[in-house]
mmCIF file of all heavy atoms in Angstrom:
data_model
loop_
_atom_site.group_PDB
_atom_site.id
_atom_site.type_symbol
_atom_site.label_atom_id
_atom_site.label_comp_id
_atom_site.label_asym_id
_atom_site.label_seq_id
_atom_site.Cartn_x
_atom_site.Cartn_y
_atom_site.Cartn_z
ATOM 1 N N MET A 371 26.772 10.392 10.154
ATOM 2 C CA MET A 371 28.087 9.536 10.052
ATOM 3 C C MET A 371 27.766 8.003 10.129
ATOM 4 O O MET A 371 28.280 7.218 9.396
ATOM 5 C CB MET A 371 28.993 9.814 11.290
ATOM 6 C CG MET A 371 29.791 11.042 11.091
ATOM 7 S SD MET A 371 30.746 11.198 12.606
ATOM 8 C CE MET A 371 32.084 9.978 12.454
ATOM 9 N N ILE A 372 26.740 7.667 10.911
ATOM 10 C CA ILE A 372 26.396 6.312 11.099
ATOM 11 C C ILE A 372 25.679 5.822 9.753
ATOM 12 O O ILE A 372 25.984 4.812 9.245
ATOM 13 C CB ILE A 372 25.380 6.089 12.302
ATOM 14 C CG1 ILE A 372 26.178 6.463 13.526
ATOM 15 C CG2 ILE A 372 24.932 4.610 12.406
ATOM 16 C CD1 ILE A 372 25.302 6.348 14.830
ATOM 17 N N ALA A 373 24.856 6.727 9.282
ATOM 18 C CA ALA A 373 24.012 6.252 8.076
ATOM 19 C C ALA A 373 24.841 6.223 6.887
ATOM 20 O O ALA A 373 24.616 5.395 5.987
ATOM 21 C CB ALA A 373 22.960 7.385 7.821
ATOM 22 N N THR A 374 25.913 7.004 6.718
ATOM 23 C CA THR A 374 26.772 6.948 5.578
ATOM 24 C C THR A 374 27.724 5.792 5.672
ATOM 25 O O THR A 374 28.548 5.575 4.776
ATOM 26 C CB THR A 374 27.526 8.288 5.299
ATOM 27 O OG1 THR A 374 28.087 8.588 6.485
ATOM 28 C CG2 THR A 374 26.641 9.391 4.871
ATOM 29 N N GLY A 375 27.800 5.038 6.741
ATOM 30 C CA GLY A 375 28.518 3.808 6.846
ATOM 31 C C GLY A 375 30.028 4.053 7.322
ATOM 32 O O GLY A 375 30.789 3.174 7.440
ATOM 33 N N ASP A 376 30.163 5.272 7.832
ATOM 34 C CA ASP A 376 31.544 5.687 8.234
ATOM 35 C C ASP A 376 31.779 4.698 9.569
ATOM 36 O O ASP A 376 32.884 4.251 9.709
ATOM 37 C CB ASP A 376 31.412 7.118 8.727
ATOM 38 C CG ASP A 376 32.869 7.693 8.818
ATOM 39 O OD1 ASP A 376 33.824 7.075 7.988
ATOM 40 O OD2 ASP A 376 33.151 8.621 9.394
ATOM 41 N N LEU A 377 30.769 4.538 10.461
ATOM 42 C CA LEU A 377 31.019 3.799 11.601
ATOM 43 C C LEU A 377 31.009 2.230 11.413
ATOM 44 O O LEU A 377 31.480 1.576 12.311
ATOM 45 C CB LEU A 377 30.167 4.212 12.679
ATOM 46 C CG LEU A 377 30.144 5.641 13.087
ATOM 47 C CD1 LEU A 377 29.393 5.751 14.466
ATOM 48 C CD2 LEU A 377 31.586 6.099 13.230
ATOM 49 N N ALA A 378 30.467 1.836 10.331
ATOM 50 C CA ALA A 378 30.373 0.390 10.074
ATOM 51 C C ALA A 378 31.789 -0.210 10.117
ATOM 52 O O ALA A 378 31.897 -1.441 10.537
ATOM 53 C CB ALA A 378 29.735 0.114 8.785
ATOM 54 N N ARG A 379 32.823 0.466 9.738
ATOM 55 C CA ARG A 379 34.111 -0.014 9.729
ATOM 56 C C ARG A 379 34.642 -0.396 11.174
ATOM 57 O O ARG A 379 35.569 -1.062 11.278
ATOM 58 C CB ARG A 379 35.084 0.932 8.946
ATOM 59 C CG ARG A 379 34.789 0.905 7.531
ATOM 60 C CD ARG A 379 35.361 2.051 6.786
ATOM 61 N NE ARG A 379 36.787 2.210 7.083
ATOM 62 C CZ ARG A 379 37.572 3.400 6.900
ATOM 63 N NH1 ARG A 379 36.907 4.396 6.513
ATOM 64 N NH2 ARG A 379 38.703 3.388 7.267
ATOM 65 N N LEU A 380 34.005 0.255 12.190
ATOM 66 C CA LEU A 380 34.507 0.003 13.564
ATOM 67 C C LEU A 380 33.724 -1.220 14.173
ATOM 68 O O LEU A 380 34.002 -1.571 15.339
ATOM 69 C CB LEU A 380 34.203 1.246 14.387
ATOM 70 C CG LEU A 380 34.808 2.535 13.959
ATOM 71 C CD1 LEU A 380 34.425 3.528 14.947
ATOM 72 C CD2 LEU A 380 36.287 2.354 14.000
ATOM 73 N N THR A 381 32.871 -1.730 13.443
ATOM 74 C CA THR A 381 31.917 -2.865 14.031
ATOM 75 C C THR A 381 32.787 -4.168 13.895
ATOM 76 O O THR A 381 33.298 -4.463 12.838
ATOM 77 C CB THR A 381 30.642 -2.922 13.243
ATOM 78 O OG1 THR A 381 30.140 -1.514 13.077
ATOM 79 C CG2 THR A 381 29.618 -3.742 13.994
ATOM 80 N N ARG A 382 32.696 -4.862 14.963
ATOM 81 C CA ARG A 382 33.435 -6.226 15.021
ATOM 82 C C ARG A 382 32.665 -7.157 13.956
ATOM 83 O O ARG A 382 31.476 -7.104 13.752
ATOM 84 C CB ARG A 382 33.316 -6.825 16.309
ATOM 85 C CG ARG A 382 34.591 -6.357 17.187
ATOM 86 C CD ARG A 382 34.370 -6.699 18.556
ATOM 87 N NE ARG A 382 33.392 -5.858 19.205
ATOM 88 C CZ ARG A 382 32.607 -6.332 20.237
ATOM 89 N NH1 ARG A 382 32.798 -7.455 20.704
ATOM 90 N NH2 ARG A 382 31.738 -5.478 20.725
ATOM 91 N N PRO A 383 33.472 -8.070 13.340
ATOM 92 C CA PRO A 383 32.906 -9.025 12.395
ATOM 93 C C PRO A 383 31.713 -9.779 13.141
ATOM 94 O O PRO A 383 31.847 -10.164 14.270
ATOM 95 C CB PRO A 383 34.075 -9.920 12.127
ATOM 96 C CG PRO A 383 35.327 -9.303 12.581
ATOM 97 C CD PRO A 383 34.958 -8.190 13.665
ATOM 98 N N GLY A 384 30.805 -9.958 12.406
ATOM 99 C CA GLY A 384 29.623 -10.790 12.899
ATOM 100 C C GLY A 384 28.593 -9.843 13.530
ATOM 101 O O GLY A 384 27.329 -10.264 13.649
ATOM 102 N N LEU A 385 28.913 -8.609 13.768
ATOM 103 C CA LEU A 385 27.965 -7.680 14.422
ATOM 104 C C LEU A 385 27.520 -6.629 13.407
ATOM 105 O O LEU A 385 28.356 -6.285 12.481
ATOM 106 C CB LEU A 385 28.424 -7.025 15.641
ATOM 107 C CG LEU A 385 28.654 -7.939 16.918
ATOM 108 C CD1 LEU A 385 29.237 -7.149 17.905
ATOM 109 C CD2 LEU A 385 27.297 -8.531 17.297
ATOM 110 N N GLU A 386 26.451 -6.143 13.531
ATOM 111 C CA GLU A 386 25.917 -5.134 12.472
ATOM 112 C C GLU A 386 25.283 -4.047 13.222
ATOM 113 O O GLU A 386 24.760 -4.169 14.316
ATOM 114 C CB GLU A 386 24.952 -5.776 11.542
ATOM 115 C CG GLU A 386 25.526 -6.307 10.273
ATOM 116 C CD GLU A 386 24.413 -6.738 9.370
ATOM 117 O OE1 GLU A 386 24.084 -5.751 8.481
ATOM 118 O OE2 GLU A 386 23.890 -7.765 9.292
ATOM 119 N N LEU A 387 25.313 -2.953 12.614
ATOM 120 C CA LEU A 387 24.701 -1.737 13.226
ATOM 121 C C LEU A 387 23.092 -1.865 12.954
ATOM 122 O O LEU A 387 22.824 -2.431 11.955
ATOM 123 C CB LEU A 387 25.179 -0.472 12.625
ATOM 124 C CG LEU A 387 26.561 -0.127 12.894
ATOM 125 C CD1 LEU A 387 26.992 1.424 12.524
ATOM 126 C CD2 LEU A 387 26.897 -0.250 14.471
ATOM 127 N N ASP A 388 22.346 -1.285 13.820
ATOM 128 C CA ASP A 388 20.940 -1.383 13.648
ATOM 129 C C ASP A 388 20.346 -0.862 12.384
ATOM 130 O O ASP A 388 19.293 -1.246 12.013
ATOM 131 C CB ASP A 388 20.311 -0.664 14.825
ATOM 132 C CG ASP A 388 18.865 -1.034 15.026
ATOM 133 O OD1 ASP A 388 18.449 -2.204 15.110
ATOM 134 O OD2 ASP A 388 17.985 -0.036 14.902
#
Side-chain angles (χ1 to χ4, degrees):
M371 280 180 74
I372 300 176
T374 50
D376 205 22
L377 296 197
R379 287 164 53 201
L380 301 180
T381 313
R382 270 167 292 153
L385 289 176
E386 269 189 87
L387 295 189
D388 189 58

